[in-house]
Amino acid sequence: MSEWLQCIANKHRFPIDEIRYTCDHDGDLLEVERDHLIDRNSFDDRSTSHAPIDQSGVWRFREGVLNVDRAITHPEGGTRLYERNGIFFKHEGENPTGSFKDRGMTVAVTQAVRLKATAVACASTGNTSSSLAAYAAQAGLKAIVFVPAGKISSGKLAQTLAYGATCLAIRGDFDAAMRLVREACARFNIYLVNSINPFRIEGQKTIVWEILQDLQWDAPDWIVVPAGNLGNTSAFGKALREAHKRGWIARVPRLASIQACGANPFYRSFSEGFATRHTVTAETIATAIRIGDPVSHDKAVAAIRDTNGIVEEVTDDELMSAKRTIDGMGIGCEPASATTLAGVQKLRAKGVMKDGERIVCVLTGHILKDPEANFRAEKVLEIDATLDAVEQRLMGS
Ligand SMILES: *Cc1c(COP(=O)(O)O)cnc(C)c1O
């Protein structure tokens, strides 16, 4: 079975074990390609296995992800698909470190070990850094994370530090941290594991494959995903292309990528038929997608085109209101994840999504990732430690 790296533009091939993230020609992104046949029945058969590599919702699909005998796995994936009020929610916040980032990170860190890297790094709005810190700790690698100073949630920063990563708080936004980490990795010989790393994308494809498997390979009409750096949008497009090409599904669901209005470069590009690549100075309450210059733009354009997909934007008020709805169903998620439900509400109102269509929203992060977004001081009723005080509060006065 053979696997290689391939330029998305000129299709030039590089060995799978070469350390590179872009093609020399135009700096285009690379993707992992393979030529062997893969039968989806082997995935279903593994559901009864007790081996960690089979229990992982990533490595269960390893023939389509990365062929390895040994993986750095928690295991991850195997998240639940909830149905509430006629909409499915795939809760990726149920991954080991509380976000979907674990799916790409198990593959990128496994590859880092195969390449005999000693240090790994990423720029992050907080979830990638938490995930990298955990997997690097498991693998015994040094982890260095570049985060925008003052712009990541306390939960994510605390988690990253707890797992033992070296944390560089950059005076600048995520996009500045991203540029810096790329230069630093090249200069100091550190393995870069942002989603520009094609192995991350291979792992993230399994969100879609697991959804399809959850639905017994009867594809939904829509898959809805928050869009920041566009790694997931890219991965979802590749996952659907491959699933359809290999005959695992009869038809391709439409992708809906949802951005926050204050961080909407991909939405702007989509609105112009992708004629220009936009960048913005990003600002939104959903810090996980506070990104103005997404690195996976080109791959994400292909994902939207190949799936007859759509890009929508929602305001911070709309996404926070959708978060209260998701929290109120007893599921819960962090703000960025709630762009999905807010997007569905908007696209239904516009008639783009129709009654009766099967919709899967991907909830990317756990409710406790962003404690500040949950805290509502007015809901906390402080009282004296007496029954009278309880009665007064409960019975009203
Ligand atoms: C990283 C992240 C996103 C953005 O995903 P991209 O693949 O960068 O578009 C969305 N939500 C959460 C919770 C994240 O951690």
Side-chain angles (χ1 to χ4, degrees), residues 193-324:
V193 295
N194 276 101
S195 53
I196 193 172
N197 181 314
F199 296 96
R200 281 273 308 276
I201 302 293
E202 291 308 289
Q204 288 171 211
K205 289 188 315 194
T206 64
I207 302 171
V208 162
W209 291 350
E210 200 173 89
I211 289 170
L212 296 173
Q213 192 178 34
D214 291 338
L215 297 173
Q216 290 154 57
W217 305 102
D218 180 12
D221 296 291
W222 291 93
I223 297 179
V224 190
V225 64
N229 218 9
L230 301 177
N232 256 349
T233 300
S234 303
F236 286 23
K238 191 166 190 273
L240 290 171
R241 261 193 315 271
E242 293 176 358
H244 189 245
K245 187 184 76 187
R246 295 185 181 125
W248 301 349
I249 48 172
R251 61 189 181 87
V252 177
R254 297 179 71 182
L255 270 185
S257 289
I258 318 295
Q259 296 211 287
C261 289
N264 66 352
F266 193 50
Y267 173 77
R268 291 185 191 202
S269 298
F270 170 79
S271 303
E272 297 174 357
F274 294 125
T276 27
R277 175 174 179 167
H278 283 272
T279 60
V280 302
T281 301
E283 192 51 83
T284 167
I285 194 169
T287 51
I289 52 173
R290 190 174 175 276
I291 295 170
D293 186 12
V295 293
S296 292
H297 173 88
D298 293 345
K299 287 182 178 179
V301 170
I304 295 299
R305 288 200 168 129
D306 292 350
T307 64
N308 186 26
I310 192 157
V311 185
E312 186 53 275
E313 62 170 356
V314 296
T315 65
D316 280 8
D317 283 349
E318 287 166 339
L319 71 90
M320 284 308 285
S321 156
K323 174 177 151 57
R324 306 282 182 236

